[in-house]
Amino acid sequence: MSATADHAEERTNPAVRLGFQPGQVVQELGYGEDTEQELRDGIEALTGQQLVDEDYDDLADAVVMWFREDDGDLTDALVDATTMIDPGAPVWLLTPKTGRDGYVEPSEIGEAAKTAGLAQTKSINAGKDWSGSRLVTPKTAGKK
């Protein structure tokens, strides 16, 4: 595929920016009526798999977690999300953009991620109302 075709796909499918691959199992946490349906559809189109929910009882290749300010403790939610994936697999934390209901301060995301043992590697525009932060377990996790 050419670079131009890659950019065209990125514009038509917002999930391309999240780096998902065909065949991957993506677990979705925190789904609500306010979630970005276009992004959800794009993930399913890209992976060829339906998103699985919190009842999925096997390891997923990635987690997409929708989180709003009033959804509880972010650190606890991130720790729970990492139990659903292998070390190194991404947790995409999706939070409402600035000025939207449920907005989460970037400093809170950074602190919660660090406490949960995750590193933020990338931020994206995940749709009209949502921002995304790619969180992973650091490759230096064995360091003391």
Side-chain angles (χ1 to χ4, degrees), residues 33-108:
E33 290 182 15
D34 60 345
T35 56
E36 197 75 40
Q37 189 61 44
E38 185 180 351
L39 181 62
R40 296 179 76 248
D41 292 344
I43 293 168
E44 290 180 346
L46 197 57
T47 63
Q49 309 274 340
Q50 287 193 339
L51 294 168
V52 297
D53 64 17
E54 63 274 353
D55 295 329
Y56 184 69
D57 61 358
D58 203 354
L59 288 178
D61 296 304
V63 170
V64 170
M65 185 169 75
W66 306 94
F67 191 87
R68 302 140 198 94
E69 182 182 42
D70 58 357
D71 282 351
D73 186 83
L74 179 55
T75 302
D76 288 346
L78 289 172
V79 168
D80 290 347
T82 61
T83 65
M84 323 272 187
I85 54 174
D86 282 326
V91 173
W92 276 100
L93 174 62
L94 302 170
T95 57
K97 288 182 177 177
T98 305
R100 310 298 201 285
D101 284 344
Y103 171 71
V104 179
E105 290 286 341
S107 59
E108 183 180 341

